[in-house]
Amino acid sequence: IAIGVKNQWLGLENAPRTQMISGNTLINSRTAAGGLIYSDKTGPMSRLGAQASYAYHLPVTQGGAKLSFGISGMIYQTLLDKSSLTTD
């Protein structure tokens, strides 16, 4: 499991902020899974997302070599707060 938090330009209003949590695990000797949840806010734009992955490991030799297959899916949302934009 990994957790990350990044706050840039401390003290400035609407400074970029990023948070994430991710993890992966071996389910058994042949399968593994992982996931990620992500949030990022930079001024008037924000992004929120999630990702999940699955892998299957097929042994191909007695020496431990494996052939791996994986599938991953993700969903992300991007928002723009138009009320915080200043235009001329």
Side-chain angles (χ1 to χ4, degrees):
I1 294 178
I3 298 172
V5 176
K6 180 168 81 169
N7 293 317
Q8 299 181 58
W9 308 331
L10 291 176
L12 293 178
E13 189 176 333
N14 294 324
R17 292 186 315 250
T18 304
Q19 299 90 29
M20 64 74 110
I21 183 167
S22 67
N24 59 61
T25 186
L26 190 61
I27 297 170
N28 58 43
S29 65
R30 291 192 178 189
T31 59
L36 167 78
I37 298 173
Y38 176 87
S39 172
D40 182 50
K41 179 151 178 56
T42 305
M45 292 206 59
S46 62
R47 294 176 238 14
L48 179 64
Q51 181 176 343
S53 300
Y54 174 82
Y56 182 78
H57 309 288
L58 181 66
V60 292
T61 68
Q62 296 277 351
K66 297 177 184 177
L67 179 61
S68 297
F69 300 92
I71 188 167
S72 182
M74 64 180 82
I75 184 166
Y76 285 92
Q77 177 184 41
T78 301
L79 297 172
L80 175 63
D81 180 9
K82 294 177 186 175
S83 66
S84 67
L85 294 176
T86 304
T87 58
D88 291 331

